[in-house]
């Protein structure tokens, strides 16, 4: 019996491969190191979409189309924005996306790319009693997302966020991507499929984990003794956030990419102080986990340095999963289109283990 479908191959894909033993991530024939920090998010969207949409434009044209989609999404959803802050910021984003057309065209896909980047800053500003800022169609995607959040961002922060969006754009058949493919296999539209991915991503065992990393760092800083705090958490049966991964048995390669990004933001400001403290906590956690769980290789995962990067970019921890979704949505859309092209409904079997009724002759 495959609890959790471990080691069950449910799809063949050209989109990404996660080498858990070697610690490598391949995205459409490119290593993560080739893409992160070198390709813009719009370029990676085109890479993922190639072959899944007719007449896909070139990089520059696609960047312009994504910018236009941000403006369209804002104008389409602006009349409803005032109602969404009654929900938490993730649920508000998901509710806003649910209002988009449920089609399968490139225009539908680009609206879905645009929506998290538009809705997240708008909802955060509304929650602070501020007016949402209209998107700038001419701006780079990550830059515009930060501009809509807090005004003109620094080039370094915009570059950092762009690198983050690229780093998390796709990652094998994880829980949210599988949920997306299941819905897409029914021939539902892209919005329906992406809403399934959003539902899965919210869980703390998936995309909901970076926020608790900040809570952990704050608690450790208040305690003054990282190792003692971590040992106590393990003794209580609690999970150490930002460590361990379902697939990787070595260090998550995305963690190193994001750690380097945070380091480039500076060493003398608050981000630098936070990074130095986080590195101390990271080493303490690795040491404590090695002693507490010697039978397992528990290494740093993407969530640990995601938390530091997004905190430095000005996002509150309750919006971290939103930003994760803003990057991952490109992968979800590509997987949905890939699944739809097979024409095959995903329909696994289950084994009934409940009580059996008496059969009457």
């Amino acid at each position: 019996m495959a609890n959790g479908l471990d080691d069950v191959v449910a799809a063949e894909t050209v989109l990404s491969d996660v080498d858990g033993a070697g610690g490598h991530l391949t995205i459409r024939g490119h290593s993560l190191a080739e893409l992160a920090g070198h390709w813009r998010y719009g370029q990676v969207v085109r890479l993922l979409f190639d072959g899944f949409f007719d007449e896909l434009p070139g990089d520059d044209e696609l960047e312009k189309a994504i910018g236009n989609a941000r403006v369209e999404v804002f104008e389409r959803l602006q009349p409803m924005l005032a109602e969404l802050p009654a929900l938490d910021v993730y649920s508000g984003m998901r509710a806003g996306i649910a209002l988009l057309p449920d089609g399968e065209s490139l225009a539908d896909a680009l609206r879905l790319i645009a929506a998290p980047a538009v809705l997240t800053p708008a909802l955060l500003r509304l929650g602070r009693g501020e007016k949402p800022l209209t998107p700038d169609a001419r701006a780079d995607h990550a830059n515009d997302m930060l501009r809509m959040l807090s005004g003109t961002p620094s080039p370094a922060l915009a570059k950092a966020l762009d690198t983050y969006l690229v780093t998390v754009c796709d990652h094998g058949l994880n829980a949210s991507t599988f949920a997306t493919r299941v819905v897409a296999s029914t021939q539902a539209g892209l919005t329906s499929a992406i809403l399934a991915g959003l539902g899965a991503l919210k869980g703390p065992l998936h995309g909901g984990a970076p926020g608790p990393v900040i809570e952990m760092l704050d608690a450790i800083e208040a305690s003054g003794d990282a190792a003692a705090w971590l040992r106590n958490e393990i003794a209580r049966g609690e999970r150490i956030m930002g460590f361990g991964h379902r697939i990787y048995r070595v260090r998550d390669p995305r963690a190193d990419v994001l750690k380097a990004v945070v380091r480039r933001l500076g060493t003398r400001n608050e981000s630098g102080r936070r990074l130095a403290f986080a590195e101390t906590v990271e080493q303490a956690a690795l040491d404590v986990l090695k002693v507490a769980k010697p039978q397992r290789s528990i290494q740093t995962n993407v969530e640990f340095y995601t938390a530091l990067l997004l905190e430095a970019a000005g996002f509150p921890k309750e919006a971290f999963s939103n930003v994760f979704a803003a990057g991952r949505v490109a992968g979800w859309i590509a997987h949905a289109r890939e699944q739809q092209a097979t024409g095959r409904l995903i329909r696994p079997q289950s084994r009934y283990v409940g009580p059996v009724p008496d059969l009457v002759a």
Side-chain angles (χ1 to χ4, degrees), residues 2 26 35 98 106 109 152 157 171 209 218 232 250 261 307 315 351 359:
T26 300
L35 300 177
L106 178 61
T152 304
L157 281 178
H171 198 248
D218 289 343
N232 183 60
V250 293
V261 170
F315 291 98
R351 180 182 294 115
L359 299 179

Side-chain angles (χ1 to χ4, degrees), residues 40-85:
R40 299 187 309 275
Y41 183 65
Q43 292 177 292
V44 174
V45 170
R46 190 184 187 285
L47 176 69
L48 291 170
F49 283 10
D50 189 26
F52 297 122
F53 294 96
D54 295 333
E55 300 179 0
L56 191 66
D59 289 343
D60 291 342
E61 291 78 10
L62 188 62
E63 292 266 16
K64 292 176 183 176
I66 293 172
N68 290 333
R70 289 196 302 273
V71 174
E72 180 190 345
V73 166
F74 184 83
E75 291 175 347
R76 183 186 288 265
L77 299 182
Q78 190 175 20
M80 287 76 80
L81 283 177
E83 305 299 324
L84 298 180

Side-chain angles (χ1 to χ4, degrees), residues 77-100:
L77 299 182
Q78 190 175 20
M80 287 76 80
L81 283 177
E83 305 299 324
L84 298 180
L87 305 169
D88 65 80
V89 68
Y90 191 87
S91 298
M93 177 190 70
R94 185 173 53 184
I97 290 173
L99 297 171
L100 296 176

Side-chain angles (χ1 to χ4, degrees), residues 262-276 279:
V262 176
R263 180 171 282 131
R264 285 195 293 270
L265 290 176
T267 58
R268 297 182 180 179
N269 55 17
E270 176 60 20
S271 295
R273 187 201 68 79
R274 189 71 150 167
L275 173 64
E279 288 177 320

Side-chain angles (χ1 to χ4, degrees), residues 155-180:
L157 281 178
K159 177 70 171 177
L161 180 60
D162 187 69
T163 302
Y164 171 75
L165 297 178
V166 169
T167 298
V168 301
C169 70
D170 198 41
H171 198 248
L173 203 58
N174 55 80
S176 59
T177 298
F178 183 58
T180 298

Side-chain angles (χ1 to χ4, degrees), residues 10-342:
E12 292 186 345
T13 183
V14 300
L15 294 168
S16 63
D17 178 61
V18 181
D19 178 358
H24 302 296
L25 172 59
T26 300
I27 298 174
R28 204 88 195 242
H30 299 268
S31 69
L32 177 62
E34 289 180 73
L35 300 177
H38 304 287
W39 289 45
R40 299 187 309 275
Y41 183 65
Q43 292 177 292
V44 174
V45 170
R46 190 184 187 285
L47 176 69
L48 291 170
F49 283 10
D50 189 26
F52 297 122
F53 294 96
D54 295 333
E55 300 179 0
L56 191 66
D59 289 343
D60 291 342
E61 291 78 10
L62 188 62
E63 292 266 16
K64 292 176 183 176
I66 293 172
N68 290 333
R70 289 196 302 273
V71 174
E72 180 190 345
V73 166
F74 184 83
E75 291 175 347
R76 183 186 288 265
L77 299 182
Q78 190 175 20
M80 287 76 80
L81 283 177
E83 305 299 324
L84 298 180
L87 305 169
D88 65 80
V89 68
Y90 191 87
S91 298
M93 177 190 70
R94 185 173 53 184
I97 290 173
L99 297 171
L100 296 176
D102 197 18
E104 298 177 2
S105 70
L106 178 61
D108 293 306
L110 296 184
R111 279 190 291 266
L112 290 165
I113 292 287
V118 170
L119 285 165
T120 300
L123 293 172
L124 289 172
R125 289 183 69 86
L126 285 167
R128 300 195 300 253
E130 300 170 355
K131 183 180 178 181
L133 297 179
T134 303
D136 180 356
R138 300 165 299 175
D140 171 84
H141 193 61
N143 186 295
D144 202 29
M145 189 174 182
L146 288 179
R147 186 194 62 81
M148 288 185 285
L149 177 67
S150 56
T152 304
S154 71
L157 281 178
K159 177 70 171 177
L161 180 60
D162 187 69
T163 302
Y164 171 75
L165 297 178
V166 169
T167 298
V168 301
C169 70
D170 198 41
H171 198 248
L173 203 58
N174 55 80
S176 59
T177 298
F178 183 58
T180 298
R181 290 189 75 124
V182 169
V183 173
S185 80
T186 71
Q187 299 298 319
L190 289 173
T191 298
S192 292
I194 270 52
L195 289 170
L198 285 167
L201 190 71
K202 188 178 183 183
L205 295 185
H206 192 15
V213 169
I214 294 297
E215 296 170 3
M216 178 184 75
L217 291 174
D218 289 343
I220 290 174
E221 190 166 21
S223 77
D225 189 333
W229 190 94
L230 292 161
R231 283 194 292 268
N232 183 60
E233 288 294 289
I234 292 172
R236 293 171 52 230
E238 299 293 333
R239 181 180 171 216
I240 304 303
M241 306 308 293
F243 296 87
H245 193 275
R246 186 69 171 265
I247 303 298
Y248 290 117
R249 292 297 169 260
V250 293
R251 188 178 176 86
D252 186 333
R254 300 169 299 173
D256 286 331
V257 167
L258 299 183
K259 181 176 182 177
V261 170
V262 176
R263 180 171 282 131
R264 285 195 293 270
L265 290 176
T267 58
R268 297 182 180 179
N269 55 17
E270 176 60 20
S271 295
R273 187 201 68 79
R274 189 71 150 167
L275 173 64
F277 175 70
E279 288 177 320
T280 300
V281 172
E282 179 187 20
Q283 190 56 57
L286 293 173
D287 292 342
V288 168
L289 287 165
K290 186 175 182 179
V291 172
K293 301 181 183 293
Q295 72 282 7
R296 296 175 59 193
S297 176
I298 303 178
Q299 302 294 325
T300 312
N301 66 34
V302 66
E303 293 149 359
F304 191 79
Y305 285 102
T306 287
L308 294 171
L309 191 157
L310 297 186
E311 181 183 57
F315 291 98
K317 62 181 183 293
E318 60 269 21
F320 287 178
S321 293
N322 294 53
V323 190
F324 198 146
R328 184 57 58 83
V329 67
W332 288 338
I333 293 168
H335 276 275
R337 294 293 289 169
E338 186 178 55
Q339 184 63 44
Q340 288 171 336
T342 71

